[in-house]
Amino acid sequence: MLNFPIPYAEELLYSTVARAGVRLGHTSPKQLLDEIFESRSIIATIDLPNHIAMVSRWLPDEYTPEKLIYSHTLFPLYAPFISEDRRRQCMSGLHQGTQSAVHLVLGVVASRIKSPRFVRYCPGCITAQREQYGEYFWLREWQVAGVESCSQHGTLIDTRIARPLIERHRFIAAAPEYCYLIKQQTGMRDSDWITTQVRQLLVRPAQVSPSLEQWTAYYRNLACRLCFSRGKTQIDHASIRDRVLMAWPATWLTRNRLMPRSSFVDESDWLKAIFRKHRKSFNYLQHIVVHQALLGRHWQIDDVLNEVSRTPICEKSSQVQVAIQKSSSQTSDQEAWRELLSSHPPQKARKTASALYARLYRNHRDWLLDLNYRHAESKKNANVSRIDWDKRDREYLQALRQLATFLKANEQGPRRSRTCYLRLLGNLSTLEKNLHQMPRTSAFLAVNSESISQYQIRRLQNAYAELRNLFESPPKWRLLRNAKLSEERMTGSARQYLEVLVSRSTEYEVKRGRK
């Protein structure tokens, strides 16, 4: 593609695609989607766009999908705080994924930290962009939750562009009609603290993410190092809460849904949870709030992440395995428990022989817990393939054939795409996730799904058949209107078919004139 813009430093990929639409002169959102993504189902996403590989092919070789993800989306804000498996899963989803999948995996949808309600900008930065580049573009840090002002010019200003976008498929470029050059108020100290750390996260290169176990160990060590612990295991949550309330204004914490719970018996408080065993990842803003309160001004989130990555974790399971291997001989109680597990699950075996379980727990605890865990896992894995996918595949194939017969009997109706067939069958999401286990169903959909060109040709056929009842030679403009098509949006095959219909009408007129 000629004239596709090169992303500016810290520009959102959403903004680059929007500028491409301006340069190409596309007035229709669908035209831009066809040109860049070759698909009209792409949703314009500001923070975490997908199908980045499709954009990368229009740029020089150094703009790989990974570089675009880490340099022109908000993914670096989340990557260091999720597990490595999830980071790789999200990277794959951003390369070529489905809408909202990455948001769900990262926890953005259910997070207490909500995205700004409107697309934002800094009038001072916009003016500098116009002078340096001759055009406007959206910067990444403007759209980050918690960043409320520019450290150089003042508070950020809301545009009239709501988030999520009302026009889901439209990429809106930064322009004077959205970015008014108005006077800004003085920036806020709290926002400057966050901006300092956010900028470090945004320029952080792709790295392996620390595990949840490492985050757990790090926060326990942090509490002990700063004397916020009682003994070896207890954390002084009350003192930590007081430090957070001293460092951050209550209005700011409330506005960002980060106000710690006033009751110390509330176990759902996020501030308590972050100092306990990490069973889920926490938002970048939560980490910043805690460290700013406990460490003061002189700390860097880069140093924190490097320290977490170096934090050792004790592999309890491997230690248990070594202990088991060392003990070659087993007691009569251990043999009895093994025999009991051969016919009962661990929970039922415990109820059946509670005294035996108590002796083993007291004398061979590690052995007992490891054996119970492995027994439960083996049972769980044995039940994974309880669904007869071959039978289900045949049933869905038969249902699809009946649907196809019904749809072909009626030439009207929407496009018969793969999604249309699956939606008519019901359980769309479940079917899409398990199509790889149903080869007959997948093959049927691949052969019988209607492409955009086929759908447009069918609409032209229907329009021609209807108009022949009124006109002996339907004109081109009536065919387009009845088919609800425009020449700009038609595919090449549909345009050729339209010309065939028009020439057929012309030939009929000529023959009629000769007679």
Side-chain angles (χ1 to χ4, degrees), residues 5-21:
I6 301 296
Y8 294 117
E10 292 304 304
E11 180 185 14
L12 283 168
L13 190 61
Y14 169 90
S15 175
T16 306
V17 176
R19 289 196 296 115

Side-chain angles (χ1 to χ4, degrees), residues 27-28 30-31 34 40 452 456-457 459-460 476-496 498-499:
T27 58
S28 167
K30 296 299 179 71
Q31 284 181 308
D34 282 339
R40 294 191 175 188
I452 295 176
Q456 291 181 349
I457 290 173
R459 288 158 66 179
L460 288 171
K476 182 177 181 179
W477 68 271
R478 286 188 178 275
L479 285 170
L480 288 172
R481 188 176 70 176
N482 278 39
K484 297 180 181 179
L485 292 172
S486 64
E487 292 195 54
E488 294 79 9
R489 299 186 181 184
M490 278 197 302
T491 63
S493 301
R495 188 174 290 107
Q496 292 176 3
L498 176 62
E499 295 300 327

